[in-house]
Amino acid sequence: IEVFYSDDFGVTWSNPVDVTNGGRGDKDIVLVDRNNNVMVAFENGGKQHVSVSTNGGASFVSKQVDIAPSGIALATGGILDSRGNAYYAWAGTTNNGTGPTTFYVQSSNNLFASYSVTTVDRGAGGPQVSGAGWDYWGGSIQIATQPRTSPANDRVIVVYNAGAGASGVPERIYTKYSDNLGATWNIAFNASSWPNGSQLSLAPAGVWHGFPSIAATATTVKTIWMDNRASPGGNYTCTSSSATGQCGIWNVYSRSSADGATNWSAESTMTQATPYRNYQTAAGFDHPYGDYSEMVTDGSAFYAIWAEGESTFGTGDVYYAKF
């Protein structure tokens, strides 16, 4: 895992710095606070780490952190709140990505010298589809914080895709929030009945969901995700991620809320690029291309990236939107 930085808006870049201190890593998430401290969460061989630099990224100290009691936990989201607290969201998988996924939030106010971890929710293992790759359709979680003047803590809001019932069922989109720095959640995790978050998608039963993201300003919380509800004839089945046209018709959907808890807006669809690529029509696109979506805000506008394509091996593109 290498960190680079630029002080001239990307015209020139620093030399790379290895944050693993000679180790290896995957699924990296970087945070930089207002004091120029840099934090990078990553996974390596079933172990979770947070590397910290207190000199602007010139050097790092890597620390193993305890997230999941067993299995592999992947860092899938990170955020700093307005008061300098740092949060990482982790998705803990089991049975080589086929078993249940447990969603965790890690928080710290001292550059992860100490930290706390809470369990947000759990979902059944994602559907297993040929050509999809390791845990491609499994659960993931992303996180945002909403600045507030009263009470003193920012609201922490998560969005995640999770399966209900037996492993292999199509997953749906859920959200929860915390008003005490992630210590507890508005809907407590229930080890006997999960997932139990508030559902965001209004799609019919059986629709495949995944790849959610979230960002928040003081007045607006926005989420995006992908699902294949536009599939003709209500046939939402995905039979192959490596063959074009075998996973229905996908779109990117969005909802917003003033507080991330109530009065979520009607769903909207992100506009398709035109002229259409070979994997796109006016109805949507063939397949999520890559398994990442991200969204951030500058305090006013929202910025999102996602990828669309033919299949996991076919052609595809990464798209950007300001909205």
Side-chain angles (χ1 to χ4, degrees), residues 14 27 61 65 81-82 104 123 161 170 182 200 204 210 227 255 275 292 315 317:
S14 69
K27 301 297 185 289
V61 175
V65 294
D81 70 18
S82 65
Y104 305 95
N161 59 291
L200 279 180
D227 72 50
R255 294 187 79 180
Y292 303 96
T315 58
D317 299 279

Side-chain angles (χ1 to χ4, degrees), residues 12-309:
T12 62
W13 290 87
S14 69
N15 291 325
V17 177
D18 175 14
V19 307
T20 70
N21 301 129
R24 295 180 297 174
D26 191 16
K27 301 297 185 289
D28 45 309
I29 303 287
V30 64
L31 298 174
V32 184
D33 70 16
R34 65 191 67 182
N35 297 314
N36 212 23
N37 298 306
V38 186
M39 294 152 274
V40 182
F42 62 95
E43 181 272 341
N44 176 22
K47 307 295 184 183
Q48 299 83 52
H49 300 260
V50 175
S51 286
V52 176
S53 171
T54 57
N55 54 15
S59 62
F60 285 82
V61 175
S62 180
K63 174 183 180 180
Q64 184 177 323
V65 294
D66 296 320
I67 305 298
S70 61
I72 297 173
L74 309 177
T76 55
I79 195 71
L80 292 164
D81 70 18
S82 65
R83 293 161 175 83
N85 300 296
Y87 305 86
Y88 280 117
W90 299 80
T93 68
T94 55
N95 297 330
N96 198 30
T98 65
T101 299
T102 304
F103 305 102
Y104 305 95
V105 167
Q106 178 190 22
S107 59
S108 177
N109 62 3
N110 58 6
L111 301 178
F112 295 93
S114 62
Y115 58 88
S116 62
V117 178
T118 58
T119 299
V120 177
D121 209 345
R122 185 176 296 162
Q128 302 300 304
V129 179
S130 64
W134 187 86
D135 203 29
Y136 188 92
W137 297 106
S140 65
I141 177 172
Q142 290 203 20
I143 187 168
T145 57
Q146 184 174 45
R148 299 187 300 169
T149 56
S150 179
N153 295 332
D154 289 6
R155 173 164 286 177
V156 183
I157 311 161
V158 295
V159 62
Y160 53 100
N161 59 291
S167 292
V169 300
E171 304 203 336
R172 297 190 70 85
I173 306 299
Y174 298 86
T175 185
K176 289 187 181 183
Y177 66 88
S178 171
D179 288 335
N180 55 8
L181 306 177
T184 61
W185 298 87
N186 67 306
I187 304 173
F189 170 62
N190 185 338
S192 301
S193 179
W194 43 261
N196 66 350
S198 301
Q199 287 205 44
L200 279 180
S201 172
L202 303 179
V207 168
W208 287 46
H209 293 75
F211 320 111
S213 192
I214 186 169
T217 68
T219 58
T220 306
V221 179
K222 286 185 179 291
T223 65
I224 61 172
W225 70 87
M226 293 184 182
D227 72 50
N228 70 348
R229 73 181 72 179
S231 303
N235 181 15
Y236 312 121
T237 302
C238 175
T239 57
S240 173
S241 281
S242 56
T244 301
Q246 301 302 306
C247 283
I249 301 298
W250 290 77
N251 277 296
V252 179
Y253 295 88
S254 178
R255 294 187 79 180
S256 61
S257 166
D259 59 6
T262 58
N263 298 322
W264 287 93
S265 70
E267 294 170 313
S268 60
T269 306
M270 307 294 275
T271 302
Q272 287 290 307
T274 53
Y276 301 125
R277 305 281 275 176
N278 65 319
Y279 54 81
Q280 295 171 325
T281 67
F285 55 93
D286 284 332
H287 198 281
Y289 192 67
D291 53 354
Y292 303 96
S293 300
E294 294 285 347
M295 189 160 59
V296 297
T297 178
D298 57 12
S300 176
F302 290 80
Y303 306 83
I305 58 171
W306 68 92
E308 305 175 5

